[in-house]
Amino acid sequence: MTKAKPPKGLKGWAQGRSLWMLHFCTGCGAIEMPPTMTSRYDMERFGITPMATPRQADLLLITGYLTVKTLKRVIRSYEQMPEPKYVVGFGSCTVNGGMYWDSYNTIKRLDLYLPIDLYIAGCMPRPEAIIDGFTELIEGIKKGKFDGWIRYKENLEYYKRNQAMVMDIRKWSLDAELAERIWNEVQEERRKRFERATVKHVYELAERIPEGLPK
Amino acid sequence: MNAVGLNITWIIFMPILVIIIGLFYLGAARKITARIQNRYGPPIYQNIIDVIKLFSKKNPTNHGVMFSLGPVMAFSGMLISLLFIPIGNKALLSFNGDIIVLLYLLVIAPLGMALGVGEGGNPMGTIGIARALTLMLGYEVVLVISIISVILYTGSASFMEIIKMQSGGVGHWFIWPLFLSALAMDMALQGMLGEKPFDQPVAPHEVASGPMVEFGGKYLGLLQLYHAIGIVVETGIFVNLFLGGGTLFWWFVKSFAVFFVALLINAVMPRFRIGQAFAFFWTYPAAIGLIGLILVAILK
Ligand code: SF4
């Protein structure tokens, strides 16, 4: 089997010059998208237009923090997009959790779950930074530099395992059998760890009781 | 022999020419809308890049045989309609009654879309196509009324004959004697082109681009080509009936002018609800068209 490669030449050029974007406006960073799209910064001049459905999109833009619940929707949308497809993480929240670094229900590092091609850092990044990021993305795509979807397919097991740590990945995943298997493994592992923890805890308690008893 | 060779070249060359010019129309539409909104806008050839990209996409989702046949049917339906439209005083198929045949052929494309969307099974697509067919019910009536008044005025139902009767300068165009019919038809055209007060079928914010919702990659590419031809065909009907056809260059200039008017309205209008749009078509444009028809019948 030959290794899949990102498009180059005419195809790569067309892909770079016409990026249709599915912007997943989950976090507060999304508020910087309207100025980037409208009169002042106008990103349509680079051929970047928002699209309504993942079937038509080339670029998944994730604007900010993701709760575990939303992550599932994001991954489902990502898997429905036709190849070649690109993911851009937008804002510090996607890099390392940002100001939600100790939150109990958001994910901290997006690249554990999805193959990120480019980060635009900042909390929130200004439209200039967004445009700068997009121009870099366009230049990179023209040269065939970004290959996120290929990495995702090759390391599907890694990504699926990470996803299974935080949510139920059965029934909708790209490779249903693999997802089922990984889900069961992760569950098994979890049960064992829990059992071990409980047993240890009981022993510890039992040891401690005599000491704690009043004389 | 030479004439036959020329004809064959024209048959092969014309659809390609129309597709490319149609894509440029779409690009110009984006640019003009951008300028009206005080933006810089994409380059005018942006839609050609989009089509190249869409056709180079890999493994778009397919839901079954009818799903892939739908866009093909829409595209080929428009291509067949194109044969009946004289472009630059040259029609590939021309006989008495071709206007009526064209009216039937124009319906093939939305029906093809409906079949494809049905197989996709997305509720957004179903709503979109239901809106498209409802809208069609609205504007077809107006379209037929104004076409009948032209047929009544000229006594002929052939595009070539009607164009011939209008030859001899701007003063001979039918837009002057049949002004009311032309006005009604221009309103119907706004609905046919799917420009703004009547873009309910594809409204991205309401039904996620409607019929196109499940199509991606090459299917969407085919639909773009269908849209490009559709613009030329639909404005072409108006140009041939009311603006006197013309040589190749002037034909496209006129057709773009008709499209330009639609664009300007598109850029400043909000969207009707589908019920409002339907009611609108059956009141004002239909009334204007009927008055035009009655005037033609009396004054003829
Ligand atoms: S990076 Fe900052 S602006 Fe963006 S989603 Fe996180 S907290 Fe909000």
Side-chain angles (χ1 to χ4, degrees):
Chain A
M1 204 187 92
T2 53
K3 200 167 173 293
K5 282 206 185 79
K8 270 190 197 162
L10 178 67
K11 281 183 184 177
W13 175 78
Q15 179 65 59
R17 283 308 311 275
S18 145
L19 277 175
W20 289 355
M21 170 185 78
L22 184 69
H23 51 304
F24 220 98
C25 290
T26 55
C28 31
I31 204 69
E32 293 291 336
M33 289 319 288
T36 321
M37 284 181 220
T38 47
S39 318
R40 178 129 188 184
Y41 295 103
D42 184 28
M43 68 190 187
E44 201 187 357
R45 64 205 153 108
F46 302 115
I48 304 174
T49 7
M51 275 289 146
T53 78
R55 305 259 188 233
Q56 305 165 353
D58 316 303
L59 171 63
L60 182 62
L61 187 69
I62 296 171
T63 56
Y65 57 83
L66 278 176
T67 61
V68 174
K69 255 186 168 176
T70 330
L71 180 68
K72 184 169 165 184
R73 276 75 184 170
V74 168
I75 294 169
R76 288 188 78 162
S77 307
Y78 177 75
E79 289 182 354
Q80 285 177 27
M81 284 159 58
E83 296 164 7
K85 48 191 170 186
Y86 306 91
V87 188
V88 170
F90 177 109
S92 319
C93 281
T94 52
V95 183
N96 57 6
M99 69 190 235
Y100 295 92
W101 60 275
D102 62 347
S103 164
Y104 59 92
N105 66 347
T106 64
I107 57 148
K108 307 302 174 307
R109 278 182 56 193
L110 187 56
D111 64 354
L112 290 178
Y113 310 96
L114 278 179
I116 306 287
D117 290 305
L118 193 83
Y119 282 115
I120 302 173
C123 177
M124 44 200 56
R126 284 186 59 81
E128 289 94 332
I130 302 173
I131 299 260
D132 187 47
F134 279 154
T135 29
E136 194 174 329
L137 185 74
I138 289 170
E139 290 310 314
I141 290 173
K142 280 184 193 166
K143 291 188 194 112
K145 206 170 101 189
F146 297 114
D147 57 350
W149 76 98
I150 300 174
R151 276 188 284 132
Y152 188 70
K153 269 182 155 176
E154 281 173 358
N155 306 318
L156 194 62
E157 191 158 344
Y158 167 78
Y159 285 112
K160 284 291 161 199
R161 190 171 295 275
N162 286 341
Q163 292 165 10
M165 295 288 190
V166 291
M167 64 189 174
D168 191 348
I169 56 166
R170 293 168 300 171
K171 296 206 177 89
W172 52 267
S173 277
L174 205 59
D175 185 342
E177 264 171 42
L178 181 78
E180 184 85 34
R181 181 165 64 77
I182 290 180
W183 171 253
N184 289 336
E185 277 174 26
V186 168
Q187 289 307 308
E188 183 68 16
E189 215 171 276
R190 233 183 232 173
R191 202 173 49 84
K192 271 189 195 147
R193 209 186 298 161
F194 180 70
E195 261 175 15
R196 229 181 292 139
T198 5
V199 170
K200 213 169 135 206
H201 191 58
V202 170
Y203 279 134
E204 275 174 9
L205 276 184
E207 276 170 14
R208 230 180 273 156
I209 288 169
E211 297 167 19
L213 285 177
K215 294 251 165 75
Chain B
M1 189 58 220
N2 204 6
V4 173
L6 215 67
N7 265 341
I8 291 173
T9 334
W10 179 241
I11 289 174
I12 298 166
F13 178 63
M14 196 243 335
I16 300 172
L17 180 79
V18 167
I19 286 175
I20 292 175
I21 289 185
L23 288 176
F24 269 110
Y25 276 21
L26 287 171
R30 283 167 79 171
K31 188 86 182 170
I32 290 165
T33 317
R35 295 309 298 162
I36 291 173
Q37 294 171 349
N38 210 359
R39 289 187 289 126
Y40 184 74
I44 199 166
Y45 51 86
Q46 180 66 47
N47 279 64
I48 295 179
I49 307 179
D50 287 351
V51 168
I52 295 175
K53 179 203 76 176
L54 285 173
F55 276 104
S56 71
K57 281 243 156 203
K58 269 181 249 156
N59 57 17
T61 325
N62 191 340
H63 290 289
V65 180
M66 210 53 231
F67 183 80
S68 36
L69 277 185
V72 175
M73 198 166 152
F75 178 70
S76 48
M78 258 314 163
L79 212 56
I80 295 170
S81 319
L82 189 63
L83 301 183
F84 291 86
I85 304 273
I87 294 177
N89 289 333
K90 221 185 260 158
L92 290 178
L93 289 174
S94 173
F95 46 87
N96 196 3
D98 58 2
I99 299 183
I100 294 162
V101 177
L102 179 76
L103 277 179
Y104 279 98
L105 287 177
L106 279 179
V107 186
I108 291 182
L111 286 184
M113 285 283 287
L115 289 173
V117 168
E119 175 110 44
N122 190 316
M124 294 293 186
T126 319
I127 298 173
I129 206 74
R131 286 180 176 195
L133 294 180
T134 315
L135 200 66
M136 207 166 83
L137 202 64
Y139 64 68
E140 289 274 276
V141 171
V142 183
L143 188 72
V144 169
I145 289 175
S146 46
I147 285 180
I148 287 177
S149 55
V150 176
I151 293 176
L152 202 64
Y153 185 75
T154 56
S156 153
S158 154
F159 274 123
M160 287 312 281
E161 298 247 322
I162 291 176
I163 291 174
K164 226 170 269 162
M165 285 177 210
Q166 299 180 68
S167 58
V170 180
H172 294 258
W173 291 357
F174 285 166
I175 192 170
W176 311 123
L178 297 174
F179 181 71
L180 289 178
S181 306
L183 188 64
M185 176 135 172
D186 195 48
M187 290 185 190
L189 206 61
Q190 194 79 12
M192 285 171 84
L193 294 170
E195 297 291 355
K196 207 67 168 265
F198 309 112
D199 70 339
Q200 298 89 2
V202 294
H205 316 101
E206 295 172 23
V207 289
S209 73
M212 273 104 77
V213 64
E214 280 292 305
F215 295 99
K218 56 188 174 194
Y219 305 115
L220 195 59
L222 260 185
L223 289 182
Q224 288 257 328
L225 297 187
Y226 146 73
H227 195 49
I229 301 183
I231 288 179
V232 176
V233 167
E234 283 150 8
T235 52
I237 298 174
F238 191 87
V239 170
N240 285 334
L241 288 185
F242 295 108
L243 300 182
T247 56
L248 201 57
F249 175 72
W250 282 111
W251 195 89
F252 278 113
V253 169
K254 287 173 188 172
S255 127
F256 187 76
V258 175
F259 183 53
F260 187 64
V261 172
L263 266 185
L264 294 188
I265 299 171
N266 171 52
V268 295
M269 287 291 254
R271 184 184 307 130
F272 278 146
R273 265 188 287 119
I274 183 70
Q276 289 171 328
F278 189 77
F280 175 81
F281 275 127
W282 278 26
T283 47
Y284 300 103
I288 293 171
L290 272 180
I291 294 171
L293 182 63
I294 292 166
L295 282 184
V296 168
I298 293 171
L299 299 182
K300 176 79 177 140

